Amino acid sequence: MTDFGLTLTVLAAYVAVIIFLAVRDWRSHNAPSFAIGKRDVSSFPIMASVVGNLRDGAGVAAWIVLGIYFGFGALWLTLGLCIGLFVLGWLAPRIRKLAADKDYFSVNQMIRDRVGPLTERVSSIIIAATAFLYGAVQVNIAGSVFASLFGTHVVFGVILTIVIVGLYLSLGGFATSVRTGVFQWFIIMLIVLLPWIAQPSGWPIPSLESFMSPGAMVIVAFVGLSLLVTLSSSDLWQLIFSARSGRDGRSGLHWSMPMYVLISIGLVLFSSVVATAVGPEVEGQDAFFALFTVGVMPSFVVALIGVFVAASIMSTLDSQVFLFSSTIVGQFRPESKTDDPATERKLRAVIVVTMIALALLALTITDIIQFLFGAVTLATVLVPVLIVASIGREHGINDKACAFGLIVASMVYAYLFLNGLFDNLIMTLLPAAISIAIIAVILAVSAWSRIKKPDR
């Protein structure tokens, strides 16, 4: 079978399975299932979805580049992520109880109840913008990969991506996103095997000394950014909302940690395979796309990589699209309930429109690595708000002051992003640091006011 035929067959089989799962969910006609998975998701699907969502197509491309440059030093990103997963797992029982008691299906609803409406509106803009930008990166990667695989224009690859994901997500909603996440997890685990499957001659293994190769400042940036990104990932919070119990949420998040470490090590080893296969003349993100050039690797390896990339992209893209859609519905229709069929109709309509808009934005992206780091940085300003909303007293923080802190941090982010200053990775921590500092001051002032109040 030709390269094209083998790849097409494997991809078609993969797509057929996820469409089948979506149709099965659609035939159940269950509004709570569409909106939040009936809050009956057990620990294993949560673990699989977490791994799938955090190991996305853009992340694979970034890890290939980072693995080539830093070797095992790229694993510092995994350290910060695992710390974040541990913290979220520790908070999971409380978060799950809040979501069930108040019937939340999006984090902006929790922020509105626990902090205030003004902070919720600002947070919704940040969440929606981050999900949209991050989703656009996934569509761009998918379009480029499909274009390389099939020898077509990138526009065809983008259209193919939005049609597939838009179809199964609009049919099954959140429930299908979780179900396909389990299936995609098995595919994603292939990355652990790919270095040994591919095996070009003279394949080098990065030295253990490369673990310290990024240098102190980059290591701090890697750990800090990945920690903040994990804590601020609203799709992870929605997974906790959907958990069968707080214990399932905690177990799923904590079990995802060793799985993610295993995949990350596999990606570092695979980056060595990529560097050897494409040659030293191909650098940066071009090395990733060069994998799909005919003759670089055996046909079956190219087909496996194609399916792996498709699975990782779709697993993250469907989560980001649903996050964006639920945020929009929750903001403009705050009275929406998970058991209301009207909520399902609104979510489905927003999903379709969002997929079209993502395709248009994806075609304008030129530097995916820079765009990726810029996109994920925006949401990090929400970390203090999410933590306060989950563990603090209801309305225990000044709503206007908190919203002001988010706006200031977002303005700093916009300045850094538009001027390309995120090339210095340590700068990616600045917006969140400003947000944390301002909200810490607000909390301190509020606490002092409560202490002094009895004396008046």
Side-chain angles (χ1 to χ4, degrees):
M1 184 177 289
T2 64
D3 292 342
F4 176 84
L6 177 61
T7 304
L8 182 61
T9 299
V10 176
L11 283 174
Y14 167 74
V15 171
V17 171
I18 61 175
I19 294 297
F20 168 78
L21 294 173
V23 170
R24 189 175 66 175
D25 285 326
W26 171 72
R27 293 181 66 182
S28 69
H29 295 292
N30 189 303
S33 177
F34 190 94
I36 201 64
K38 295 187 292 186
R39 303 198 196 279
D40 192 34
V41 182
S42 61
S43 58
F44 180 78
I46 289 174
M47 179 275 293
S49 294
V50 169
V51 174
N53 292 349
L54 294 175
R55 178 44 55 235
D56 55 85
V60 171
W63 267 81
I64 296 299
V65 176
L66 295 173
I68 291 173
Y69 286 143
F70 299 121
F72 286 115
L75 292 177
W76 287 106
L77 282 165
T78 302
L79 175 61
L81 183 143
C82 287
I83 295 172
L85 290 174
F86 179 83
V87 173
L88 279 181
W90 175 65
L91 294 173
R94 182 177 180 84
I95 296 170
R96 169 60 174 76
K97 186 177 186 305
L98 281 173
D101 290 345
K102 300 290 188 177
D103 196 30
Y104 298 145
F105 65 87
S106 65
V107 292
N108 55 317
Q109 293 174 311
M110 180 182 71
I111 293 172
R112 181 179 63 240
D113 283 355
R114 306 287 296 177
V115 181
L118 187 57
T119 301
E120 183 261 340
R121 283 193 287 271
V122 176
S123 299
S124 293
I125 294 172
I126 294 171
I127 293 169
T130 302
F132 192 77
L133 293 173
Y134 200 39
V137 181
Q138 310 304 321
V139 176
N140 176 277
I141 294 289
S144 300
V145 168
F146 288 142
S148 299
L149 281 171
F150 303 137
T152 61
H153 195 277
V154 67
V155 173
F156 168 79
V158 167
I159 293 174
L160 181 62
T161 302
I162 65 170
V163 168
I164 293 173
V165 177
L167 177 60
Y168 79 72
L169 191 57
S170 61
L171 284 173
F174 189 87
T176 298
S177 176
V178 174
R179 290 181 192 277
T180 56
V182 176
F183 179 68
Q184 289 159 345
W185 175 78
F186 286 103
I187 302 296
I188 290 171
M189 287 302 291
L190 286 172
I191 197 65
V192 179
L193 304 176
L194 280 177
W196 286 271
I197 295 174
Q199 286 193 49
S201 58
W203 167 41
I205 297 178
S207 66
L208 293 178
E209 287 78 7
S210 65
F211 187 66
M212 299 302 298
S213 63
M217 295 299 288
V218 174
I219 288 174
V220 170
F222 278 176
V223 175
L225 182 60
S226 56
L227 167 62
L228 293 169
V229 166
T230 304
L231 293 177
S232 63
S233 295
S234 298
D235 53 327
L236 297 185
W237 287 72
Q238 286 185 317
L239 275 173
I240 298 173
F241 289 180
S242 72
R244 179 181 299 165
S245 66
R247 184 176 179 180
D248 281 299
R250 173 177 291 175
S251 178
L253 288 168
H254 285 173
W255 274 110
S256 67
M257 294 162 57
M259 294 294 101
Y260 189 80
V261 170
L262 189 62
I263 292 174
S264 298
I265 293 173
L267 280 169
V268 171
L269 296 177
F270 187 57
S271 67
S272 297
V273 175
V274 173
T276 303
V278 303
E281 66 277 3
V282 182
E283 298 182 354
Q285 65 190 45
D286 293 334
F288 174 71
F289 296 117
L291 284 175
F292 304 99
T293 303
V294 176
V296 172
M297 286 187 179
S299 300
F300 78 98
V301 175
V302 173
L304 285 176
I305 296 172
V307 174
F308 163 70
V309 172
S312 59
I313 288 172
M314 292 177 187
S315 182
T316 299
L317 180 57
D318 57 23
S319 298
Q320 296 303 315
V321 171
F322 196 87
L323 172 61
F324 178 86
S325 302
S326 61
T327 301
I328 295 297
V329 172
Q331 173 63 32
F332 292 101
R333 297 287 184 179
E335 74 281 2
S336 297
K337 301 296 182 181
T338 59
D339 58 354
D340 184 359
T343 299
E344 180 180 344
R345 292 194 297 270
K346 295 166 190 171
L347 285 170
R348 186 174 282 116
V350 175
I351 286 170
V352 173
V353 174
T354 301
M355 295 306 303
I356 296 172
L358 281 175
L360 297 176
L361 178 59
L363 293 172
T364 68
I365 298 173
T366 55
D367 189 330
I368 59 171
I369 306 301
Q370 181 181 5
F371 198 92
L372 172 64
F373 277 94
V376 299
T377 297
L378 174 57
T380 62
V381 303
L382 293 175
V383 168
V385 173
L386 291 169
I387 298 299
V388 167
S390 63
I391 66 176
R393 298 187 309 123
E394 188 167 359
H395 303 300
I397 184 172
N398 187 301
D399 182 28
K400 292 182 180 179
C402 187
F404 172 77
L406 291 182
I407 292 171
V408 171
S410 298
M411 290 175 64
V412 171
Y413 161 84
Y415 176 81
L416 296 172
F417 182 71
L418 294 175
N419 288 278
L421 298 179
F422 286 138
D423 288 344
N424 181 353
L425 284 181
I426 201 68
M427 298 299 289
T428 60
L429 305 180
L430 184 59
I434 292 173
S435 176
I436 292 170
I438 293 176
I439 292 177
V441 171
I442 296 169
L443 288 171
V445 171
S446 298
W448 178 254
S449 298
R450 287 195 298 272
I451 293 173
K452 299 295 291 183
K453 188 175 181 179
D455 297 333
R456 295 177 183 175

